[in-house]
Amino acid sequence: MRKIILAMLLLASFLLPVSGQTPVVPELTPQKAAQFADLVLKNVDKIYPNKISHTMNGPQDAQTPNRLHPAFYGCFDWHSAVHGHWLLVRLLKMYPDLPQRKQIIDVLDRHFTKENMQTEIAYFQAPGRESFERPYGWGWLLKLQAELLTWDNPNGKQWAKALAPLAEEIVQRYHFYLPGLYYPIRRGVHENTALGLLLALDYAKVTRDSTFENLLKERALFYYENDKDIPAGWEPGGDDFLSPSLIEADLMLRVLDRKAFQNWFRDFMPRIPESLQEPAVVSDRHDPKGVHLDGLNLSRAWCMFDIAKAFPPESVMARQLIQSAHQHAADALPHVLSENYVGSHWLATFAVYMYDSMGNKD
C-alpha cells in the first residue's frame, strides 16, 4: 500500500496543473546589451582590486596581475576576466552594430596576442599550478574559444588562432585530471565538476574532438548516471552561484538522448522542491560571497530553460520549469547593472548566458 501511495504522489507531481502568473523577463535589447558591454569594458583592464590564486615558486613570481596574466588580468580574478572576454565576443556576435564595437575590438586585439597567450601558458606549466582555475576557469576558457570558432568573422578567426594554444593546454589538463577524479565535486561554486564538464563538452562538439568528447561523456556518466532522489531541498548553500542539482541535470541533457534524459531526470528529481521553485534570497549584496546568490538565480534560470526543452511544451514539468525560470531571472536581472564591484565584475556573463538558454541564441 505504501508503494502505491508513493507512486500516486509521484504521478501527481507531473500531472497537477501549474498555478501562478509567470513574471515577465525584460528582453535583451541592443540597449541592454550595450549596458552589459560597458560593464565589462569598465572592468576588463582594471588591475586592482584583484584576487589572485597564485603559487609562488620563487621571488621572480612576485609580479603584478597584468604581468602574470597579460590576457586575463582584469575583472577581479582570472576566471571572471575570461568569461568577461566571452561576453564581449558574444555581444559583438549578437549585435554587430554595438556602439562599443571599436572599443571591444581594441581590447581583444590587445589582449589576444600570441605573446600574451605564451605567457598565460607558461604560467599554467610552472610547478605547483596543476589546480589553477580548475575546472571553472578551464571551462570558461574553452567556452570563449568555442564562441570564437563559431563566428565567421575575420577578427574572430584571428583571435581564435591566438587563443588556440592556450585552449589546447586546457584540453590536455582535462585529459590528465579527469581520469584521476573518482568523486565529482558537487558544491555550487567554482570547483563544481558538472559545470566544468558542460562547458568543455560544448567546446568538444564545436571542434569535433571525438576523443575529448568521449572522455567528457564517459566521466559524466560515471559520476552522475545512477544519481536518484537528489536532495535538492537542501539547496541553496550560502555562497552558491550554481545549483548542484540543476547544473548536473543541464550536463546530463548534453550526454543522454531526449527519452533517456526524461527518464533519468524523473528518477533524479521526482519533484521540484520549493527551495528550487523560488528565487534564493540575497540578504547582503555587498558581501562578495553573498552576492553569489544573484548569480545562482541566473544560473538556476538558465538550467531550467534548458531542461524544460527536453519535455513536451504542454507538459506540467516544462511549464513548471519555465515559470520558475522566469521568476528567478526576473528577480536577479535588476541587480546585474550595479556599482557594487563584487557583483558587477561577473554577473552580466551569467545574465547573457541565461538569455541564450531562454532562446536568444543566434
Side-chain angles (χ1 to χ4, degrees):
M1 176 61 72
R2 184 172 179 272
K3 290 184 177 179
I4 294 174
I5 292 172
L6 287 173
M8 292 175 66
L9 289 172
L10 176 59
L11 181 63
S13 72
F14 289 99
L15 296 181
L16 287 175
V18 178
S19 59
Q21 190 171 7
T22 302
V24 175
V25 176
E27 182 184 355
L28 180 58
T29 62
Q31 292 75 24
K32 181 67 69 177
Q35 289 179 298
F36 287 161
D38 274 338
L39 200 61
V40 178
L41 289 168
K42 185 169 69 172
N43 294 325
V44 78
D45 280 319
K46 184 174 182 176
I47 303 174
Y48 302 107
N50 199 299
K51 181 179 181 292
I52 60 174
S53 174
H54 180 40
T55 299
M56 297 179 65
N57 293 301
Q60 73 280 0
D61 288 335
Q63 300 287 342
T64 58
N66 57 320
R67 289 187 177 273
L68 293 170
H69 300 292
F72 304 115
Y73 58 85
C75 296
F76 191 63
D77 46 40
W78 194 86
H79 51 259
S80 297
V82 170
H83 62 61
H85 285 76
W86 170 81
L87 182 58
L88 293 177
V89 172
R90 181 75 189 125
L91 291 176
L92 202 55
K93 286 176 68 175
M94 296 171 73
Y95 302 103
D97 296 325
L98 272 179
Q100 301 93 338
R101 176 183 177 84
K102 186 177 183 302
Q103 189 179 357
I104 292 172
I105 292 173
D106 175 66
V107 165
L108 299 179
D109 274 341
R110 285 189 290 106
H111 290 193
F112 292 174
T113 67
K114 179 180 178 181
E115 294 73 24
N116 285 351
M117 293 307 160
Q118 287 174 339
T119 302
E120 296 282 357
I121 292 169
Y123 185 90
F124 272 94
Q125 292 178 343
R129 294 175 183 160
E130 293 83 2
S131 64
F132 177 70
E133 290 291 348
R134 184 181 74 193
Y136 184 76
W138 295 6
W140 275 111
L141 190 284
L142 295 186
K143 182 68 175 177
L144 167 60
Q145 181 67 340
E147 200 69 58
L148 290 169
L149 290 171
T150 53
W151 190 16
D152 186 16
N153 173 275
N155 287 322
K157 293 179 188 297
Q158 171 191 328
W159 298 326
K161 182 178 179 181
L163 204 66
L166 180 56
E168 185 55 36
E169 175 72 25
I170 296 298
V171 169
Q172 293 309 311
R173 288 177 175 267
Y174 271 100
H175 278 287
F176 180 80
Y177 169 61
L178 289 176
L181 181 69
Y182 191 79
Y183 302 104
I185 299 169
R186 296 178 181 271
R187 289 190 62 230
V189 289
H190 304 90
E191 295 80 14
N192 184 276
T193 302
L195 180 66
L197 291 173
L198 183 157
L199 295 173
L201 190 55
D202 288 351
Y203 167 86
K205 290 178 179 177
V206 165
T207 57
R208 299 180 181 177
D209 185 341
S210 58
T211 302
F212 190 33
E213 182 178 353
N214 289 338
L215 169 68
L216 297 167
K217 287 182 175 180
E218 183 275 325
R219 290 285 85 189
L221 292 170
F222 178 79
Y223 298 139
Y224 306 118
E225 184 179 22
N226 296 319
D227 282 359
K228 292 179 172 59
D229 297 314
I230 194 76
W234 295 2
E235 299 180 27
D239 63 349
D240 283 352
F241 58 81
L242 301 168
S243 160
S245 58
L246 291 177
I247 200 66
E248 175 182 336
D250 206 0
L251 167 65
M252 295 302 284
L253 186 63
R254 290 160 166 78
V255 173
L256 301 171
D257 65 41
R258 185 184 181 94
K259 186 62 178 177
F261 175 79
Q262 291 175 357
N263 293 332
W264 176 88
F265 189 74
R266 288 186 172 110
D267 287 338
F268 174 72
M269 193 180 293
R271 60 178 299 276
I272 302 175
E274 289 185 12
S275 61
L276 283 188
Q277 292 183 43
E278 298 295 327
V281 175
V282 187
S283 58
D284 186 0
R285 289 189 169 86
H286 293 280
D287 183 274
K289 295 299 180 85
V291 78
H292 276 188
L293 295 166
D294 276 324
L296 172 66
N297 288 332
L298 291 167
S299 66
R300 279 185 177 185
W302 92 48
C303 289
M304 290 177 182
F305 282 127
D306 283 347
I307 296 164
K309 295 167 190 170
F311 293 90
E314 70 280 2
S315 68
V316 171
M317 178 58 73
R319 290 188 291 127
Q320 186 177 24
L321 286 166
I322 290 171
Q323 179 173 313
S324 186
H326 276 83
Q327 290 173 334
H328 280 78
D331 185 87
L333 283 170
H335 307 290
V336 173
L337 295 170
S338 164
E339 295 301 317
N340 181 18
Y341 190 55
V342 295
S344 66
H345 77 270
W346 66 281
L347 283 173
T349 294
F350 275 41
V352 172
Y353 195 103
M354 184 278 298
Y355 275 114
D356 278 350
S357 295
M358 189 178 177
N360 282 30
K361 293 182 181 178
D362 54 20

